[in-house]
Each structure stands twice: as C-alpha cells, then as structure tokens.
Amino acid sequence: MKTYLRNEIIYNKNAHINQVFKIVKGHITNASKTMLYKPKDYLFLDQIFYNAISTDDYYALDLVVGEWMNKDEITMDHFPILSKMYQEKKNQTELLLLKDPITKISRYLYFEFINNQSTSYYLTMSLKDLSFYLNLSLKLLSESLKFLESREVIAKHNKLFNILQIKKLEEYAYLPDLI
C-alpha cells in the first residue's frame, strides 16, 4: 500500500502511464479539477490502454491510501469497474451540462439512489467536494438542498441522505433546464 498526504502530487502531467492506482481511502483530483476519484476507483484504468500519457497533474485531496498495479495485472475482472467508471463520467458530464442548481442536485441524488439501490446513503465526499463535482457554488448547493428538504423530498443529517419521496425527486431531477 502506498500513502499520499493532502495536496501531495500523485502523478505529473505528461508522464507515461504504465500503472493503475486502486484507491482504498481518500480522494484524488486533477489540477484542472474536472475529475474526482474516490475510494474503490481506479486512477488511470480508463487511460492506460488508449492514452498512456497523463493529461494533467493528479494530487491527493486528503489522506490517500491505495495500491499501484502494473498494466499486466489488469484482468477481465476489471472491465465491469471500467464500465462503471465510464457510466459515472457520463452521469457527471450530464450533470455539468445542467444549469438549474435544483435540477442538478436532484439528478445527482437520483443517480445516487439508482447506484446504491437504497433511499438512504452516506455522501462519500464533503459538501465542498460535491459543489466542485457539480460545478456549483457551495451557497447554491446549500440552498438547493434546503429547498429539497423544505419540500420534504429529502432529509439530510450531516452526510446521511434519506430520500423521502422518490417520485418527487425524479420530477425535480428531470425538469426542463430553466436557466
């Protein structure tokens, strides 16, 4: 296991990618802040086969613990993980294209409901990281969450989210983008 401290560079821009990093604990982002990797994600699994040059600097957002794997250690068991990573990237891209903050956070929560198959789950990142992930200011994110709480669509207790009305959440998630 390899450990990286907060703000420590994990991989430099333009470096050759010949290994994949499996994150056990912590969060990693790139310098341009367009990616967020969390526990159980694989850093570079999506790049090692077709684009073996790092396109950005990658650094630890908090204490990161993980394991480096050589390219030849990647097996067919990793392809479902790769598929899930592509789906999550597709979801994030879809969220980033939305302008209305309530629609954006509602759709994010709805995606989490689908991924977890549960109406109750813990947020794996801080609200600040979530605002970064959704490209929303922390103020807009907080206001949107309070709106959903006031409508009794969700209940939030620190990092624990409970979806109280799935149908209502889905309605907010797929409203036409108003802004």
Side-chain angles (χ1 to χ4, degrees):
M1 291 284 182
K2 178 74 174 156
T3 302
Y4 297 92
L5 301 175
R6 179 184 296 183
N7 295 326
E8 187 174 350
I9 296 279
I10 294 172
Y11 223 75
N12 291 312
K13 184 176 183 174
N14 297 324
H16 182 71
I17 300 170
N18 58 359
Q19 292 182 311
V20 172
F21 187 69
K22 178 183 178 185
I23 304 170
V24 175
K25 177 183 178 184
H27 297 85
I28 298 172
T29 191
N30 57 344
S32 59
K33 299 192 179 210
T34 57
M35 300 292 293
L36 179 65
Y37 297 91
K38 52 192 180 301
K40 298 183 184 174
D41 281 350
Y42 287 76
L43 184 64
F44 303 127
L45 184 60
D46 55 341
Q47 289 181 305
I48 198 164
F49 294 111
Y50 72 91
N51 184 14
I53 303 295
S54 174
T55 57
D56 211 341
D57 290 327
Y58 290 82
Y59 65 94
L61 285 174
D62 45 24
L63 178 67
V64 172
V65 177
E67 179 180 1
W68 285 102
M69 297 171 29
N70 290 324
K71 187 176 183 176
D72 58 348
E73 295 177 73
I74 298 171
T75 66
M76 292 300 285
D77 295 337
H78 293 97
F79 285 96
I81 297 164
L82 182 60
S83 175
K84 184 179 178 199
M85 286 174 65
Y86 279 121
Q87 182 62 44
E88 287 175 2
K89 188 63 184 164
K90 178 189 165 290
N91 289 350
Q92 184 187 18
T93 303
E94 184 178 321
L95 291 168
L96 291 174
L97 292 172
L98 296 172
K99 293 179 181 82
D100 180 55
I102 294 170
T103 303
K104 190 179 282 197
I105 189 64
S106 298
R107 195 163 311 173
Y108 170 80
L109 294 171
Y110 189 71
F111 286 158
E112 286 296 308
F113 161 70
I114 292 169
N115 290 339
N116 293 310
Q117 289 298 304
S118 175
T119 57
S120 181
Y121 52 85
Y122 282 95
L123 187 64
T124 58
M125 59 182 109
S126 69
L127 286 179
K128 182 180 177 185
D129 290 339
L130 180 59
S131 71
F132 156 75
Y133 180 80
L134 296 173
N135 194 26
L136 284 175
S137 69
L138 198 51
K139 180 182 176 190
L140 270 177
L141 175 65
S142 296
E143 288 172 356
S144 300
L145 288 171
K146 285 178 185 170
F147 173 84
L148 293 172
E149 284 182 287
S150 71
R151 299 291 193 273
E152 296 181 353
V153 175
I154 64 167
K156 182 176 112 27
H157 308 283
N158 295 326
K159 288 189 165 195
L160 176 65
F161 282 80
N162 293 305
I163 300 173
L164 305 174
Q165 298 181 52
I166 295 168
K167 289 291 182 194
K168 197 73 168 164
L169 180 66
E170 186 178 16
E171 287 175 19
Y172 283 121
Y174 291 97
L175 281 175
D177 211 5
L178 303 174
I179 296 176

